Structures are given as C-alpha cells and as structure tokens.
Short mmCIF file of all heavy atoms in Angstrom, two decimals:
data_model
loop_
_atom_site.label_atom_id
_atom_site.label_comp_id
_atom_site.label_asym_id
_atom_site.label_seq_id
_atom_site.Cartn_x
_atom_site.Cartn_y
_atom_site.Cartn_z
N ASN A 1 0.86 -1.18 0.00
CA ASN A 1 0.00 0.00 0.00
C ASN A 1 0.90 1.24 0.00
O ASN A 1 1.71 1.42 0.92
CB ASN A 1 -0.89 -0.01 1.24
CG ASN A 1 -1.98 1.04 1.19
OD1 ASN A 1 -1.71 2.20 0.87
ND2 ASN A 1 -3.20 0.64 1.50
N PRO A 2 0.80 2.08 -1.04
CA PRO A 2 1.72 3.24 -1.13
C PRO A 2 1.67 4.17 0.08
O PRO A 2 2.63 4.91 0.33
CB PRO A 2 1.25 3.96 -2.40
CG PRO A 2 0.53 2.94 -3.19
CD PRO A 2 -0.11 2.02 -2.18
N LEU A 3 0.58 4.12 0.84
CA LEU A 3 0.49 5.00 2.00
C LEU A 3 1.64 4.79 2.98
O LEU A 3 2.12 5.73 3.60
CB LEU A 3 -0.84 4.77 2.74
CG LEU A 3 -2.12 5.30 2.07
CD1 LEU A 3 -3.34 4.89 2.90
CD2 LEU A 3 -2.06 6.80 1.91
N ILE A 4 2.12 3.54 3.09
CA ILE A 4 3.17 3.28 4.08
C ILE A 4 4.48 3.95 3.69
O ILE A 4 5.37 4.10 4.54
CB ILE A 4 3.38 1.76 4.30
CG1 ILE A 4 4.01 1.11 3.08
CG2 ILE A 4 2.07 1.08 4.68
CD1 ILE A 4 4.45 -0.32 3.34
N GLY A 5 4.61 4.37 2.44
CA GLY A 5 5.81 5.10 2.03
C GLY A 5 5.97 6.41 2.77
O GLY A 5 7.09 6.89 3.00
N ALA A 6 4.84 7.01 3.19
CA ALA A 6 4.89 8.28 3.92
C ALA A 6 5.53 8.12 5.29
O ALA A 6 6.03 9.08 5.87
CB ALA A 6 3.49 8.85 4.07
N SER A 7 5.52 6.90 5.82
CA SER A 7 6.11 6.67 7.15
C SER A 7 7.61 6.47 7.08
O SER A 7 8.24 6.15 8.09
CB SER A 7 5.45 5.47 7.83
OG SER A 7 5.70 4.28 7.11
N GLY A 8 8.19 6.66 5.89
CA GLY A 8 9.64 6.55 5.76
C GLY A 8 10.39 7.66 6.47
O GLY A 8 11.60 7.55 6.70
N VAL A 9 9.69 8.74 6.83
CA VAL A 9 10.34 9.79 7.63
C VAL A 9 10.55 9.25 9.04
O VAL A 9 9.93 8.27 9.45
CB VAL A 9 9.50 11.08 7.65
CG1 VAL A 9 9.33 11.64 6.26
CG2 VAL A 9 8.15 10.84 8.28
N SER A 10 11.39 9.91 9.79
CA SER A 10 11.84 9.35 11.06
C SER A 10 11.01 9.79 12.26
O SER A 10 11.50 9.78 13.38
CB SER A 10 13.31 9.74 11.30
OG SER A 10 13.80 9.17 12.47
N ALA A 11 9.78 10.19 12.05
CA ALA A 11 8.92 10.60 13.16
C ALA A 11 8.23 9.36 13.73
O ALA A 11 7.12 9.01 13.35
CB ALA A 11 7.89 11.61 12.68
N VAL A 12 8.93 8.68 14.64
CA VAL A 12 8.44 7.42 15.21
C VAL A 12 7.70 7.69 16.51
O VAL A 12 8.20 8.42 17.37
CB VAL A 12 9.62 6.46 15.49
CG1 VAL A 12 9.13 5.16 16.10
CG2 VAL A 12 10.40 6.18 14.21
N PRO A 13 6.52 7.08 16.71
CA PRO A 13 5.74 6.29 15.77
C PRO A 13 4.60 7.08 15.12
O PRO A 13 3.70 6.49 14.54
CB PRO A 13 5.17 5.19 16.67
CG PRO A 13 4.90 5.91 17.96
CD PRO A 13 5.97 6.98 18.09
N ASP A 14 4.62 8.39 15.26
CA ASP A 14 3.49 9.20 14.81
C ASP A 14 3.20 9.03 13.33
O ASP A 14 2.03 8.96 12.92
CB ASP A 14 3.74 10.68 15.12
CG ASP A 14 3.34 11.03 16.54
OD1 ASP A 14 2.97 10.10 17.28
OD2 ASP A 14 3.42 12.20 16.92
N SER A 15 4.24 8.97 12.52
CA SER A 15 4.03 8.85 11.08
C SER A 15 3.33 7.53 10.75
O SER A 15 2.43 7.48 9.91
CB SER A 15 5.36 8.96 10.34
OG SER A 15 5.15 9.06 8.96
N ALA A 16 3.74 6.45 11.42
CA ALA A 16 3.09 5.15 11.20
C ALA A 16 1.62 5.20 11.63
O ALA A 16 0.74 4.61 10.98
CB ALA A 16 3.84 4.06 11.95
N ARG A 17 1.35 5.90 12.70
CA ARG A 17 -0.04 6.02 13.17
C ARG A 17 -0.89 6.80 12.18
O ARG A 17 -2.06 6.47 11.94
CB ARG A 17 -0.06 6.71 14.53
CG ARG A 17 0.49 5.87 15.67
CD ARG A 17 0.58 6.69 16.93
NE ARG A 17 1.12 5.93 18.05
CZ ARG A 17 1.54 6.46 19.18
NH1 ARG A 17 1.50 7.79 19.35
NH2 ARG A 17 2.02 5.70 20.15
N VAL A 18 -0.31 7.86 11.60
CA VAL A 18 -1.05 8.64 10.61
C VAL A 18 -1.36 7.80 9.38
O VAL A 18 -2.47 7.84 8.84
CB VAL A 18 -0.24 9.90 10.21
CG1 VAL A 18 -0.87 10.60 9.02
CG2 VAL A 18 -0.14 10.86 11.39
N VAL A 19 -0.39 7.01 8.94
CA VAL A 19 -0.62 6.10 7.81
C VAL A 19 -1.75 5.13 8.13
O VAL A 19 -2.64 4.88 7.30
CB VAL A 19 0.69 5.33 7.48
CG1 VAL A 19 0.40 4.17 6.52
CG2 VAL A 19 1.71 6.27 6.87
N HIS A 20 -1.71 4.57 9.32
CA HIS A 20 -2.74 3.62 9.74
C HIS A 20 -4.12 4.29 9.73
O HIS A 20 -5.11 3.71 9.26
CB HIS A 20 -2.42 3.10 11.14
CG HIS A 20 -3.41 2.14 11.69
ND1 HIS A 20 -3.64 0.89 11.14
CD2 HIS A 20 -4.25 2.23 12.75
CE1 HIS A 20 -4.57 0.26 11.84
NE2 HIS A 20 -4.96 1.06 12.82
N ALA A 21 -4.18 5.52 10.24
CA ALA A 21 -5.46 6.24 10.28
C ALA A 21 -6.00 6.52 8.88
O ALA A 21 -7.21 6.38 8.62
CB ALA A 21 -5.29 7.55 11.05
N GLU A 22 -5.10 6.89 7.96
CA GLU A 22 -5.55 7.15 6.59
C GLU A 22 -6.00 5.88 5.90
O GLU A 22 -6.95 5.88 5.11
CB GLU A 22 -4.41 7.81 5.79
CG GLU A 22 -4.09 9.22 6.22
CD GLU A 22 -5.29 10.15 6.10
OE1 GLU A 22 -5.93 10.18 5.02
OE2 GLU A 22 -5.58 10.86 7.08
N GLY A 23 -5.34 4.76 6.20
CA GLY A 23 -5.76 3.48 5.64
C GLY A 23 -7.14 3.08 6.13
O GLY A 23 -7.96 2.56 5.36
N LEU A 24 -7.42 3.34 7.41
CA LEU A 24 -8.74 3.02 7.96
C LEU A 24 -9.84 3.89 7.36
O LEU A 24 -10.99 3.45 7.23
CB LEU A 24 -8.72 3.17 9.48
CG LEU A 24 -7.90 2.15 10.27
CD1 LEU A 24 -7.93 2.48 11.75
CD2 LEU A 24 -8.42 0.74 10.03
N LYS A 25 -9.49 5.12 7.00
CA LYS A 25 -10.49 5.98 6.36
C LYS A 25 -10.90 5.42 5.00
O LYS A 25 -12.07 5.51 4.61
CB LYS A 25 -9.92 7.39 6.18
CG LYS A 25 -9.78 8.17 7.48
CD LYS A 25 -9.18 9.55 7.22
CE LYS A 25 -8.95 10.32 8.52
NZ LYS A 25 -8.32 11.64 8.27
N ALA A 26 -9.94 4.85 4.29
CA ALA A 26 -10.25 4.27 2.98
C ALA A 26 -10.96 2.93 3.12
O ALA A 26 -11.87 2.61 2.33
CB ALA A 26 -8.96 4.10 2.17
N ASP A 27 -10.54 2.14 4.12
CA ASP A 27 -11.13 0.82 4.34
C ASP A 27 -11.00 0.50 5.83
O ASP A 27 -9.90 0.26 6.32
CB ASP A 27 -10.41 -0.23 3.50
CG ASP A 27 -10.98 -1.63 3.72
OD1 ASP A 27 -11.91 -1.79 4.55
OD2 ASP A 27 -10.50 -2.58 3.06
N PRO A 28 -12.13 0.50 6.57
CA PRO A 28 -12.07 0.28 8.01
C PRO A 28 -11.49 -1.06 8.42
O PRO A 28 -11.21 -1.28 9.61
CB PRO A 28 -13.55 0.39 8.44
CG PRO A 28 -14.20 1.20 7.38
CD PRO A 28 -13.50 0.85 6.11
N THR A 29 -11.31 -1.99 7.47
CA THR A 29 -10.75 -3.30 7.81
C THR A 29 -9.27 -3.42 7.42
O THR A 29 -8.68 -4.49 7.53
CB THR A 29 -11.54 -4.42 7.11
OG1 THR A 29 -11.39 -4.30 5.69
CG2 THR A 29 -13.02 -4.35 7.46
N ASN A 30 -8.69 -2.31 6.93
CA ASN A 30 -7.31 -2.35 6.43
C ASN A 30 -6.37 -1.82 7.52
O ASN A 30 -6.31 -0.61 7.76
CB ASN A 30 -7.19 -1.52 5.15
CG ASN A 30 -5.91 -1.81 4.41
OD1 ASN A 30 -5.15 -2.69 4.78
ND2 ASN A 30 -5.67 -1.07 3.35
N TYR A 31 -5.65 -2.71 8.17
CA TYR A 31 -4.77 -2.34 9.27
C TYR A 31 -3.33 -2.25 8.77
O TYR A 31 -2.72 -3.27 8.43
CB TYR A 31 -4.89 -3.35 10.41
CG TYR A 31 -6.29 -3.41 10.99
CD1 TYR A 31 -7.19 -4.38 10.57
CD2 TYR A 31 -6.70 -2.48 11.94
CE1 TYR A 31 -8.48 -4.43 11.08
CE2 TYR A 31 -7.98 -2.51 12.47
CZ TYR A 31 -8.87 -3.49 12.04
OH TYR A 31 -10.14 -3.52 12.54
N LEU A 32 -2.79 -1.04 8.75
CA LEU A 32 -1.48 -0.81 8.16
C LEU A 32 -0.39 -0.49 9.19
O LEU A 32 0.76 -0.28 8.82
CB LEU A 32 -1.55 0.36 7.16
CG LEU A 32 -2.42 0.14 5.92
CD1 LEU A 32 -2.49 1.44 5.10
CD2 LEU A 32 -1.84 -0.98 5.06
N LEU A 33 -0.74 -0.47 10.47
CA LEU A 33 0.21 0.01 11.47
C LEU A 33 1.50 -0.81 11.48
O LEU A 33 2.60 -0.24 11.43
CB LEU A 33 -0.43 -0.01 12.85
CG LEU A 33 0.44 0.54 13.99
CD1 LEU A 33 0.82 2.00 13.73
CD2 LEU A 33 -0.27 0.41 15.33
N MET A 34 1.40 -2.13 11.56
CA MET A 34 2.60 -2.95 11.63
C MET A 34 3.43 -2.84 10.35
O MET A 34 4.65 -2.84 10.39
CB MET A 34 2.22 -4.41 11.88
CG MET A 34 1.75 -4.68 13.30
SD MET A 34 2.95 -4.12 14.56
CE MET A 34 4.36 -5.13 14.16
N HIS A 35 2.73 -2.76 9.20
CA HIS A 35 3.46 -2.60 7.94
C HIS A 35 4.16 -1.24 7.89
O HIS A 35 5.30 -1.13 7.42
CB HIS A 35 2.49 -2.72 6.75
CG HIS A 35 1.78 -4.03 6.69
ND1 HIS A 35 2.42 -5.20 6.37
CD2 HIS A 35 0.48 -4.35 6.89
CE1 HIS A 35 1.54 -6.19 6.38
NE2 HIS A 35 0.36 -5.70 6.71
N ALA A 36 3.50 -0.19 8.40
CA ALA A 36 4.07 1.16 8.35
C ALA A 36 5.24 1.31 9.31
O ALA A 36 6.12 2.14 9.08
CB ALA A 36 3.00 2.19 8.68
N MET A 37 5.28 0.49 10.36
CA MET A 37 6.39 0.60 11.32
C MET A 37 7.72 0.22 10.69
O MET A 37 8.77 0.70 11.12
CB MET A 37 6.11 -0.28 12.54
CG MET A 37 5.16 0.34 13.55
SD MET A 37 5.71 1.94 14.20
CE MET A 37 7.23 1.48 15.02
N ALA A 38 7.69 -0.65 9.66
CA ALA A 38 8.95 -1.07 9.03
C ALA A 38 9.67 0.11 8.37
O ALA A 38 10.84 0.38 8.70
CB ALA A 38 8.68 -2.19 8.03
N PRO A 39 9.04 0.83 7.45
CA PRO A 39 9.74 2.00 6.90
C PRO A 39 9.95 3.11 7.93
O PRO A 39 10.90 3.89 7.81
CB PRO A 39 8.81 2.49 5.77
CG PRO A 39 7.49 1.87 6.03
CD PRO A 39 7.77 0.59 6.76
N ASN A 40 9.11 3.16 8.97
CA ASN A 40 9.27 4.19 10.00
C ASN A 40 10.58 4.01 10.77
O ASN A 40 11.37 4.95 10.93
CB ASN A 40 8.07 4.16 10.95
CG ASN A 40 7.74 5.51 11.56
OD1 ASN A 40 6.84 5.64 12.38
ND2 ASN A 40 8.45 6.54 11.17
N VAL A 41 10.83 2.78 11.23
CA VAL A 41 12.09 2.54 11.95
C VAL A 41 13.27 2.56 10.98
O VAL A 41 14.40 2.93 11.36
CB VAL A 41 12.05 1.22 12.74
CG1 VAL A 41 10.99 1.28 13.82
CG2 VAL A 41 11.81 0.02 11.83
N ALA A 42 13.02 2.19 9.72
CA ALA A 42 14.08 2.30 8.72
C ALA A 42 14.45 3.76 8.50
O ALA A 42 15.61 4.09 8.22
CB ALA A 42 13.63 1.67 7.40
N GLY A 43 13.45 4.65 8.63
CA GLY A 43 13.72 6.07 8.51
C GLY A 43 14.63 6.58 9.61
O GLY A 43 15.47 7.46 9.38
#
C-alpha cells in the first residue's frame, strides 16, 4: 500500500499512526500500522 511510504520519515511512531489512520479511512478493515512501522524505523 503506497500509504506506508509516507512513514519513511523518522517521526516514530506518529508517522506510522497517521498512515494507519488514513488506511482506515479508505477501508475500516485495512490495518497498516505494523506494515508502516517497518519504513518508519528504517527512517
């Protein structure tokens, strides 16, 4: 999901949480937090 690319910045864990929130807005069953944490800590 391209949204998780936004969590590549180093604002841990807020950026991952924002990605997760935006994913839920598009689909309430789409949980992106754990996926977004990978580029977040990589950032």
